[in-house]
Amino acid sequence: MKILFVSSEVAPFAKSGGLGDVSSALPRALAAAGHDVRIVMPFYPRVRAPGRHISLVRQHVEMRIGPHRVVFSIFETKLPGTDIPVSLIHCPGLYDRPGLYGYKHDEHLRFTVLNWAALKVAQFAQFAPDIAHVNDWQASLIPLLIKTHFAWDRLFARTKSVLTLHNIGHQGTFGAGVLVDTGLADSAHLFHQDELRAGRLGFLMTGLLHADHVTTVSPTYAKEIQTREQGVGLDGVLRARRGSLTGILNGIDEDEWNPTKDVHLPMAFSSSDLSGKETCKRALMGALRLPYAENVPVIGLVSRLVWQKGLDLVVNVMPHLLRAAKFQFVILGKGEPRYEEFFRTLARAFPNKVHFDSAFNEAKAHLIEAGADMFLMPSRYEPCGLNQMYSLRYGTVPIVHKTGGLADTVWPFDEKSGHGTGFVFEHFDDHGLHWAVRRALSVWGTGMGAHRERWRALQRNGMDLPFGWRHRVGRYVEVYERLHRG
Ligand code: ADP
């Protein structure tokens, strides 16, 4: 199949979170399965990197979008290690900025242009997509554009659209006044009418109305977002489309996140030989200048420091636990100042137990995944989550809230049967997190002798689970094929 894949971030070119990872790994897996994929994304300044070959394909493309005359160029590169073409939309006025997102005055315009330009790219390349696979609100106008402004072009006659929701917390909702800027004012009747009347226009909402199929990144999240509590205002339309909504767990990149060959680690390890993990722990503690002790467990946390990640529980619970119990806590993440301030203060209060680094650092993320004994992920909600799967793979036992993809990937450890892969709390409150961390520490026990054996068995339960993309890609292909069968 020919698949036009559109995303606002694609690793390694530009990534702010899981979306970037998926937008790189899924096309890779599709291509490996024999499909013809073309990716389109904005040409942010960070895309240019030493050694990266980027060529100009078409200069000075002019497009009328509503009242705007937009001029851009198309560059092309390959997804590293593959033949997958990545078309880069070069429009400095919109994309030459330090961050990927958050430019209030023209955010809607930045991604409107991405949507129109992606279809232009297909036209120039004479690439007739069987599937336009679009991601999150930033690419959500494409299903409607295919049915309206681009409907005349026979290139898209067979095209079905699939919208993947990575996080419905980000909806791209603007004042209804942006309608003209989308270039779709003549199709106003195809937008959500109640929303328009209420003075709002949601990009994601529009995509949900018009995509031929909607997927989201875990089965549990697919159910959660149909509820009033977790639908963030989209539950109504999601319930209406439940027959066309599928939850497919994200995979992980098994080359990048693989303890048997991770280039960031001082020593490799595997489920059959965990000795290298201890070396990684020692190296981690050395790098962070924290005292190392084999029998003292290290809890790791690598995350964007935002409300979604359940950090309010961490704020309430961890200081108390750090005073009362024997463990160390290492945090890597950037985000909201209130959380950064909290972790900075925590590190000062417990200089031998806590390390905080406010940075985005891939190498360090790998070392924490490998060197820590437990991994904390108490997210309020979590569409899929990748870090808990990395943790499982690295024998770093996850402590998670039972929500979304966390519920689908981490099974509560049962001491009697020896089954299970982590520690899971059901109710999102201080008590829940406190209980789960206490449970983890109690199963860790002294970290020696029989306790150690039990811990090793728990680690092994998670290490060889089939989390790779090659185990997932078939689910997407099923969705594509079903659309074409009608
Ligand atoms: P989300 O997409 O909501 O941020 P995920 O768990 O799905 O959460 O994906 C997070 C990705 O971003 C992982 O690959 C994780 O390792 C990475 N990440 C987050 N914060 C940092 C950081 N400070 N340094 C390095 N990697 C990070």
Side-chain angles (χ1 to χ4, degrees), residues 15 17-18 21 302-304 309 332-333 359-361 365 385-387 390:
K15 159 178 159 178
D21 290 320
V302 180
S303 179
R304 292 182 294 122
K309 299 297 178 181
L332 170 65
F360 194 95
N361 184 333
L386 295 169
N387 276 312
Y390 303 154

Side-chain angles (χ1 to χ4, degrees), residues 218-398:
S218 69
T220 296
Y221 194 57
K223 287 191 208 118
E224 288 171 348
I225 57 180
Q226 296 180 48
T227 66
R228 228 175 147 54
E229 299 72 42
Q230 295 186 69
V232 203
L234 296 179
D235 47 295
V237 62
L238 285 162
R239 279 194 303 276
R241 297 225 53 195
R242 63 177 171 272
S244 307
L245 171 64
T246 310
I248 305 174
L249 265 180
N250 282 334
I252 61 173
D253 183 330
E254 289 178 304
D255 291 321
E256 169 84 7
W257 292 95
N258 184 341
T260 66
K261 59 174 191 190
D262 187 329
V263 293
H264 301 291
L265 306 187
M267 196 169 161
F269 59 93
S270 68
S271 58
S272 55
D273 180 4
L274 276 158
S275 55
K277 187 166 169 69
E278 205 53 47
T279 308
C280 293
K281 178 171 173 179
R282 197 190 295 269
L284 172 67
M285 301 321 263
L288 306 184
R289 298 208 194 88
L290 285 180
Y292 158 82
E294 195 177 349
N295 61 344
V296 176
V298 173
I299 302 182
L301 188 158
V302 180
S303 179
R304 292 182 294 122
L305 302 181
V306 296
W307 181 85
Q308 179 207 332
K309 299 297 178 181
L311 300 165
D312 298 304
L313 301 190
V314 175
V315 169
N316 293 341
V317 167
M318 290 312 261
H320 167 71
L321 276 173
L322 279 159
R323 270 191 297 275
K326 207 160 90 171
F327 69 95
Q328 290 163 306
F329 187 25
V330 302
I331 305 105
L332 170 65
K334 277 169 85 81
E336 292 175 27
R338 58 183 169 143
Y339 299 126
E340 295 207 7
E341 196 41 51
F342 164 75
F343 285 122
R344 219 168 275 129
T345 309
L346 195 69
R348 252 183 263 125
F350 299 94
N352 287 324
K353 290 183 134 188
V354 178
H355 174 91
F356 171 53
D357 186 3
S358 159
F360 194 95
N361 184 333
E362 300 256 357
K364 204 166 188 177
H366 281 250
L367 190 59
I368 292 174
E369 285 289 4
D373 298 293
M374 304 162 188
F375 194 89
L376 193 57
M377 212 160 158
S379 308
R380 252 171 224 279
Y381 72 96
E382 192 61 75
C384 177
L386 295 169
N387 276 312
Q388 83 281 12
M389 291 190 270
Y390 303 154
S391 303
L392 288 165
R393 201 110 207 275
Y394 281 66
T396 306
V397 179

Side-chain angles (χ1 to χ4, degrees), residues 163-174:
L163 165 61
T164 296
L165 287 174
H166 297 263
N167 186 338
I168 63 163
H170 308 293
Q171 301 185 359
T173 301
F174 304 95

